[in-house]
């Protein structure tokens, strides 16, 4: 392929490239700008520990314009020079067969970081070398960080770092990232490599384009891994990016490996592994004798046929219980804090003599909704995500997928969908993001689109309310505390099981209809168990997940708050628009066994499931703004006095479980798939399913003459 | 390996190249999944995928490949003939 205008292309790619939230990485001029260091590595090699230990807490999400991904970056100051560390997704390879691999490769190629550090698991050198060789072909400035040296030693593995350096022709730094051993040396090496690379970059600029690889005519599929010189390779990749550009999941449904010359790629893989085992054999020696394998011992228990699943359920149960139990107190605290701020805002508004309508929209509408969403969402997420991330870092989660994959095989899904579901209990938006771990696009989409069937903890309160109303609607007698606790437990358990069943059913239906296809491969590493760095994990979970979700929730909640307030206050012939809309929706609501107000509440509750009940109460009581519901009993009596029966409660419970995902989740689906179509389908599919179930229920109740 | 396309390249990328030594580590629930050690890493693969690999018992004097958790070491090799594009 003839590549024209190369010199113009490269700076363009750099300029349009990586930007941080508030500060842009400097121009390409080498004078005094910060050095960009990319951190690559296989999954489970302690890459994030290396990253966190180097950057400390000084890290944030960098947005890579034009791409649907955020990468983490952090700044390190070392010997008077600034280094921008960019944490690439963990990948086994750079053949771009999964989204994360594509992100990692695209970054290295189009952003051309000054130095690329490849974190390598010393206990598992041979497999890790696959990535090292690919990186070496892609970028000249590579440093190997040989992590887990301590673990290798206990396993009796000795690595001759000098020999490895010789064999690879790249600097190798042995480290133990957990306690910081070797990280200083790593920075030293990075600094010297960056200096060298900085000198040679200006020289390379005018070089002639090397003869292009004969296999690169199809830029999409073939990854030239042969010995082509680096510049021409980089150009092929830039070309490839031009083609792939904004590749979305949808397009990736085509098996990527099939395109291009797969035979050639295979040959490259074989050659790489041949070389890898040769290098590993020379640099690694294994001392004989049995070494204790704690991982195998734990696995005998956790993946055992009898205990595996019960243990998993118990663990998840404990996590939920702690989340629900502990989040109440901070939630109440936040509520009172936010209402104090609201009172203050109101006094400021009156003092300034601002029109009551403006005050209504901004304070009673936007502010109150945002504050509400934050108060109910923040505490459970701040508790759930760190616990979940601890399990993740310890290495437990792949075992869950291992235990449950046979169920997902039946509905043509992916075992790792179990993990996205578990994440969905915390927050569906986070569950959708978690689907990135599924490398095959078809199965990933299934996981994304069905995630809403898992009730997130924002829906637990309404499920509890409807569940206990269902019970009280049937047995009208007052109940003791013990009974109502049991009823709540049953309501949650029942809806979780129902949600899981629906997930399987809809996954199966989708793989037979819109997402047809042979189930693609399921390959998953079962990494050794490792003790997570608790504090680091806590902070990471909070910053990456909690704040991430909350930001999106606030974005969605603000405009919806304004709309809801307007509807509740703009009156039209003596009735508020809210009342009008409810009346309009009433026939549809009745068909589903609900009523117009409830349906409207679900629709207006789009920004966050937590505000569905407050909106319904607001409409029933003809109030002008949402207010905190008093008690479970008070809410129940309001609903019962508005014509609710056990059947309404059951329908509402099913609808709360199965209806469309919240605004934050839909927005996240859009971000993750890059497609409005899938975002729309993420609403339509569950909504259709929910309406079908509800209509059937309604029909059954009528036929049986129950209500 | 009679696997094709994406799956084939993915498995190869993870180290399942022709001639590599595999060690059966454990079986998953209902025998639909297995954990296999390849190049030092334990990988879970589905039985349906594994069935499409050409696996022969290793020549190191261990018992022939057998079903069951203690399976034994085995060697798998590409038969090179049934590659479907």
């Amino acid at each position: 392929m003839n590549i024209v205008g190369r010199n113009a292309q490269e700076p363009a790619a750099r300029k349009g490239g990586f930007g941080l939230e508030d500060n842009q990485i400097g121009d390409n001029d080498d004078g005094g700008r910060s050095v960009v260091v990319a951190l690559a590595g296989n999954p489970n090699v302690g890459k994030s520990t290396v990253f966190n230990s180097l950057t400390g807490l000084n890290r944030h999400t960098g947005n890579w314009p034009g791409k649907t991904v955020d990468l983490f970056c952090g700044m390190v100051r070392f010997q008077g020079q600034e280094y921008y560390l960019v944490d690439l997704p963990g990948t086994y390879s750079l053949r771009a067969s999964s989204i994360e691999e594509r992100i990692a490769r695209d970054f290295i190629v189009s952003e051309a970081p000054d130095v690329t550090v490849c974190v390598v698991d010393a206990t598992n050198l041979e497999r890790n070398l696959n990535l090292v060789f690919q990186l070496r072909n892609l970028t000249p400035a590579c440093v190997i960080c040989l992590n887990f040296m301590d673990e290798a030693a206990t396993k009796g593995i000795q690595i001759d770092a000098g020999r490895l350096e010789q064999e690879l022709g790249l600097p190798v730094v042995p480290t133990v990232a957990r306690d910081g051993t070797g990280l200083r040396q790593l920075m030293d090496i990075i600094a010297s490599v960056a200096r060298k690379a900085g000198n040679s970059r200006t020289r390379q600029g005018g070089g002639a384009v090397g003869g292009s690889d004969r296999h690169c005519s199809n830029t999409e599929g073939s990854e030239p891994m042969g010995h082509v010189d680096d510049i021409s390779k980089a150009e092929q990749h830039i070309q490839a990016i031009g083609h792939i550009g904004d590749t979305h999941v949808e397009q990736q449904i085509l098996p990527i490996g099939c395109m291009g010359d797969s035979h050639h790629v295979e040959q490259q893989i074989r050659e790489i592994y041949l070389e890898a085992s040769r290098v590993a054999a020379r640099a690694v020696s294994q001392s004989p004798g049995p070494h204790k394998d704690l991982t195998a011992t734990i696995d005998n228990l956790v993946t055992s046929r009898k205990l595996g699943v019960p243990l998993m359920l118990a663990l998840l149960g404990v996590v939920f219980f702690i989340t629900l139990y502990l989040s109440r107190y901070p939630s109440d605290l936040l509520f009172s804090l936010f209402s104090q701020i609201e009172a203050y805002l109101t006094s400021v508004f009156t003092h300034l003599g601002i029109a009551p309508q403006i005050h209504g929209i901004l304070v009673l509408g936007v502010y109150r909704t945002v504050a509400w969403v934050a108060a109910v969402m923040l505490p459970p997420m701040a508790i759930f995500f760190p616990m979940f991330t601890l399990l993740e870092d310890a290495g437990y989660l792949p075992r869950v997928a291992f235990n449950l994959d046979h169920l997902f095989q039946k509905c043509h899904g992916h075992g790792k969908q179990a993990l996205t579901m578990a994440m969905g209990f915390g927050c569906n938006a986070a569950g959708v993001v978690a689907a990135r771990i599924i490398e095959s696009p078809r199965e990933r989409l299934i996981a994304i689109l069905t995630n809403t069937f898992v009730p997130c903890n924002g829906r637990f309160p309404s499920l509890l309310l409807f569940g206990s109303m269902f019970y009280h609607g049937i047995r009208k007698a007052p109940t003791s505390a013990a009974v109502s606790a049991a009823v709540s437990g049953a309501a949650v358990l029942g809806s979780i099981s129902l949600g899981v069943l629906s997930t399987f059913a809809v996954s199966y239906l989708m793989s037979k209809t819109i997402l047809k296809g042979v189930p693609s491969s399921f390959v998953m590493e079962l990494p050794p168990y490792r003790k997570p760095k608790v504090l680091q994990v806590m902070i990471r979970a909070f910053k990456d997940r909690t704040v991430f979700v909350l930001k999106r929730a606030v974005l969605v909640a603000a405009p919806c708050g304004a709309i809801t307030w307007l509807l509740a206050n703009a009156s039209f012939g003596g009735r508020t628009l809210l009342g009008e809309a409810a009346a309009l929706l009433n026939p549809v609501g009745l068909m589903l066994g609900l009523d117009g107000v409830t349906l409207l509440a679900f629709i207006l509750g789009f920004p966050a499931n937590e505000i569905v009940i407050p909106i319904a109460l607001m409409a029933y009581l003809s109030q002008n703004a949402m207010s905190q519901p008093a008690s479970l009993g008070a809410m129940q009596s309001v609903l019962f006095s508005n014509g609710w029966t056990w059947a309404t409660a059951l329908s509402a419970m099913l609808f709360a479980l199965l209806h469309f995902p919240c605004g934050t989740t839909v927005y996240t689906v859009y971000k993750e798939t890059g497609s409005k179509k899938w975002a729309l389908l993420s609403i339509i599919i569950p909504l259709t399913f929910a309406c079908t179930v509800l209509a059937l229920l309604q029909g059954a109740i009528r036929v049986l003459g129950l209500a | 390996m009679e696997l094709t396309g994406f799956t084939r390249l993915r498995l190869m990328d993870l180290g399942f190249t022709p001639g590599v030594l595999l060690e059966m580590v454990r079986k998953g629930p209902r025998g639909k999944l297995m954990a296999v050690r390849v190049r030092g890493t334990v990988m879970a693969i589905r039985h349906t995928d594994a069935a499409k690999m050409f696996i022969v018992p290793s020549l190191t004097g261990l018992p022939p490949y057998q079903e069951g958790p203690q399976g034994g070491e085995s060697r798998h090799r590409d038969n090179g003939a049934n590659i479907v594009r």
Side-chain angles (χ1 to χ4, degrees):
Chain A
M1 179 175 290
N2 193 15
I3 295 154
V4 195
R6 180 179 56 86
N7 290 334
Q9 212 166 13
E10 200 182 335
R14 283 185 71 84
K15 229 170 255 167
F18 194 72
L20 297 160
E21 258 168 7
D22 30 25
N23 31 1
Q24 195 81 20
I25 291 179
D27 282 339
N28 200 13
D29 310 325
D30 285 320
R33 75 189 184 98
S34 43
V35 174
V36 180
V37 181
L39 215 59
N42 285 5
N44 314 309
V45 294
K47 191 164 65 68
S48 49
T49 314
V50 172
F51 180 83
N52 287 323
S53 304
L54 286 176
T55 58
L57 301 179
N58 183 11
R59 73 204 216 96
H60 40 160
T61 325
N63 196 350
W64 192 12
K67 303 281 185 283
T68 53
V69 282
D70 295 322
L71 295 172
F72 290 109
C73 44
M75 218 255 287
V76 189
R77 189 170 275 285
F78 183 73
Q79 295 173 347
Q81 170 72 45
E82 279 183 0
Y83 295 86
Y84 262 108
L85 257 63
V86 180
D87 194 14
L88 299 179
T91 57
Y92 293 107
S93 161
L94 290 173
R95 250 168 266 287
S97 57
S98 76
I99 292 168
E100 312 221 300
E101 288 183 10
R102 182 157 298 179
I103 294 167
R105 192 203 57 173
D106 284 3
F107 185 86
I108 291 170
V109 171
S110 67
E111 303 303 320
D114 301 276
V115 182
T116 304
V117 177
C118 186
V119 184
V120 162
D121 182 351
T123 65
N124 192 1
L125 186 65
E126 190 179 324
R127 216 263 333 272
N128 280 249
L129 284 178
N130 180 25
L131 183 67
V132 172
F133 285 132
Q134 292 184 37
L135 274 174
R136 195 178 62 176
N137 282 340
L138 214 56
T139 165
C142 238
V143 176
I144 307 303
C145 167
L146 200 55
N147 198 20
F148 292 133
M149 286 305 281
D150 53 340
E151 217 173 283
T154 53
K155 284 187 177 173
I157 298 168
Q158 278 105 38
I159 298 185
D160 184 345
R163 186 69 200 258
L164 188 61
E165 211 160 74
Q166 260 177 28
E167 294 285 339
L168 295 174
L170 298 171
V172 173
V173 188
T175 61
V176 183
R178 273 185 64 83
D179 56 20
T181 310
L183 291 181
R184 220 195 133 72
Q185 288 90 312
L186 181 65
M187 281 312 295
D188 268 329
I189 299 286
I190 290 173
S192 74
V193 171
R195 253 175 270 130
K196 255 184 252 163
N199 293 337
S200 63
R201 177 166 282 165
T202 34
R203 197 162 41 78
Q204 275 183 359
V209 182
S212 55
D213 194 292
R214 69 193 160 90
H215 291 289
C216 74
S217 52
N218 187 337
T219 34
E220 278 263 286
S222 74
E223 284 308 313
M225 285 300 167
H227 298 283
V228 193
D229 79 280
D230 294 305
I231 306 174
S232 76
K233 191 177 309 291
E235 279 157 359
Q236 286 155 15
H237 281 289
I238 289 171
Q239 292 278 311
I241 291 162
H243 282 286
I244 311 167
D246 39 2
T247 310
H248 302 320
V249 196
E250 192 185 345
Q251 291 156 334
Q252 290 188 10
I253 294 212
L254 283 169
I256 294 150
C258 280
M259 296 185 286
D261 191 347
S262 70
H263 211 76
H264 175 62
V265 180
E266 261 176 41
Q267 199 53 43
Q268 286 163 352
I269 300 178
R270 286 189 192 200
E271 276 166 20
I272 282 183
Y273 269 118
L274 215 64
E275 179 74 0
S277 44
R278 197 185 58 81
V279 171
R282 291 194 186 166
V284 182
S285 55
Q286 166 85 53
S287 68
H291 301 280
K292 60 167 186 173
D293 191 355
L294 193 62
T295 296
T297 319
I298 300 176
D299 268 347
N300 284 339
L301 191 71
V302 225
T303 64
S304 72
R305 227 155 289 190
K306 275 187 191 142
L307 283 175
V309 174
L311 259 172
M312 179 197 80
L313 291 179
L315 207 58
L316 281 181
V318 168
V319 169
F320 290 148
F321 179 76
I322 294 175
T323 305
L324 286 177
Y325 187 77
L326 283 187
S327 58
R328 245 177 256 171
Y329 306 100
S331 259
D332 290 345
L333 214 69
L334 281 176
F335 257 120
S336 66
L337 178 75
F338 286 142
S339 57
Q340 273 170 28
I341 296 176
E342 189 187 304
Y344 175 74
L345 282 177
T346 304
S347 71
V348 170
F349 271 66
T350 3
H351 187 73
L352 293 175
I354 294 168
Q357 286 89 344
I358 307 264
H359 169 256
I361 284 197
L362 289 182
V363 177
L364 299 178
V366 175
Y367 172 82
R368 195 179 276 189
T369 313
V370 168
W372 195 297
V373 168
V376 286
M377 273 176 93
L378 184 59
M381 288 198 306
I383 296 168
F384 180 82
F385 286 148
M387 285 196 287
F388 196 81
T389 313
L390 276 178
L391 288 178
E392 192 178 358
D393 269 37
Y396 176 68
L397 294 189
R399 273 75 186 182
V400 173
F402 186 81
N403 283 338
L404 297 179
D405 180 66
H406 64 280
L407 296 174
F408 289 93
Q409 272 190 59
K410 274 193 190 139
C411 57
H412 304 275
H414 195 290
K416 285 187 199 163
Q417 194 176 339
L419 307 186
T420 68
M421 286 164 71
M423 190 65 149
F425 283 116
C427 168
N428 292 125
V432 168
V433 177
R436 281 183 195 174
I437 55 170
I438 301 176
E439 60 278 334
S440 39
R442 198 186 69 90
E443 280 82 351
R444 176 164 176 251
L445 264 177
I446 292 181
I448 286 178
L449 296 179
T450 55
N451 196 271
T452 181
F453 292 131
V454 177
C456 64
N457 63 48
R459 275 184 278 170
F460 277 16
S462 36
L463 291 173
L464 283 174
L465 173 70
F466 298 144
S468 80
M469 280 183 69
F470 170 65
Y471 177 79
H472 288 282
I474 292 176
R475 296 182 58 98
K476 300 233 159 50
T479 45
S480 66
V483 173
S484 47
V487 168
S488 323
V492 170
L493 268 182
S495 38
I496 288 178
S497 340
L498 225 89
V500 171
L501 277 180
S502 309
T503 306
F504 285 130
V506 175
S507 299
Y508 182 79
L509 284 176
M510 276 207 290
S511 64
K512 288 282 166 206
T513 52
I514 54 168
L515 287 170
K516 257 189 215 160
V518 213
S520 71
S521 67
F522 171 89
V523 202
M524 179 184 63
E525 184 180 351
L526 296 174
Y529 290 103
R530 281 170 180 143
K531 216 172 101 200
K533 289 200 86 171
V534 178
L535 192 68
Q536 240 183 37
V537 164
M538 299 283 207
I539 293 163
R540 190 153 49 99
F542 186 76
K543 284 183 107 175
D544 302 358
R545 289 185 168 146
T546 312
V547 176
F548 174 83
V549 172
L550 201 67
K551 245 196 229 163
R552 287 192 177 173
V554 167
L555 265 179
V556 179
C560 290
I563 293 171
T564 310
W565 188 87
L566 276 175
L567 283 178
N569 288 274
S571 54
F572 184 75
R575 206 150 57 144
T576 59
L577 279 180
L578 196 68
E580 288 288 331
L584 208 68
L585 284 171
N586 208 33
V588 186
L590 288 178
M591 223 153 53
L592 299 174
L594 305 167
D595 58 15
V597 171
T598 320
L599 202 57
L600 185 66
F602 275 114
I603 294 171
L604 291 176
F606 182 62
N609 287 297
E610 287 90 341
I611 60 172
V612 169
I613 292 175
I615 292 177
L617 292 177
M618 174 176 91
Y620 280 132
L621 300 173
S622 327
Q623 286 168 342
N624 293 329
M626 292 193 303
S627 54
Q628 194 173 7
S631 67
L632 202 70
M635 286 191 279
Q636 286 187 11
S637 61
V638 170
L639 294 180
F640 276 132
S641 66
N642 276 283
W644 278 50
T645 62
W646 65 266
T648 328
L650 183 61
S651 301
M653 189 168 146
L654 286 174
F655 199 71
L657 182 70
L658 305 174
H659 79 300
F660 46 83
C662 71
T664 315
T665 307
V666 174
Y667 180 59
T668 306
V669 172
Y670 170 64
K671 286 290 230 180
E672 288 296 305
T673 60
S675 131
K676 289 197 177 101
K677 180 184 134 197
W678 291 117
L680 198 66
L681 277 174
S682 78
I683 299 177
I684 293 173
I685 292 170
L687 189 61
T688 317
F689 186 72
C691 290
T692 315
V693 170
L694 255 59
L696 284 177
L697 177 74
Q698 204 48 23
I701 289 173
R702 291 247 174 90
V703 167
L704 298 173
L706 292 172
Chain B
M1 268 203 283
E2 287 179 37
L3 293 158
T4 53
F6 182 82
T7 309
R8 182 185 174 85
L9 288 180
R10 179 109 203 118
L11 281 169
M12 286 187 71
D13 229 352
L14 291 171
F16 290 87
T17 55
V20 79
L21 203 67
L22 302 178
E23 183 199 340
M24 184 77 176
V25 178
R26 65 183 70 244
K27 287 221 151 202
R30 314 237 171 147
K32 289 204 167 178
L33 203 66
M34 59 180 84
V36 171
R37 193 187 306 276
V38 56
R39 298 182 193 272
T41 318
V42 180
M43 290 281 178
I45 54 172
R46 283 183 176 170
H47 198 88
T48 46
D49 291 333
K52 290 182 187 157
M53 292 180 197
F54 185 66
I55 302 175
V56 295
S58 93
L59 306 171
T60 51
L62 285 154
Y65 178 78
Q66 47 185 257
E67 293 280 319
Q70 68 277 35
E73 290 201 337
S74 47
R75 177 187 290 271
H76 100 237
R77 194 182 282 154
D78 195 340
N79 62 8
N82 288 316
I83 301 160
V84 191
R85 287 247 161 86

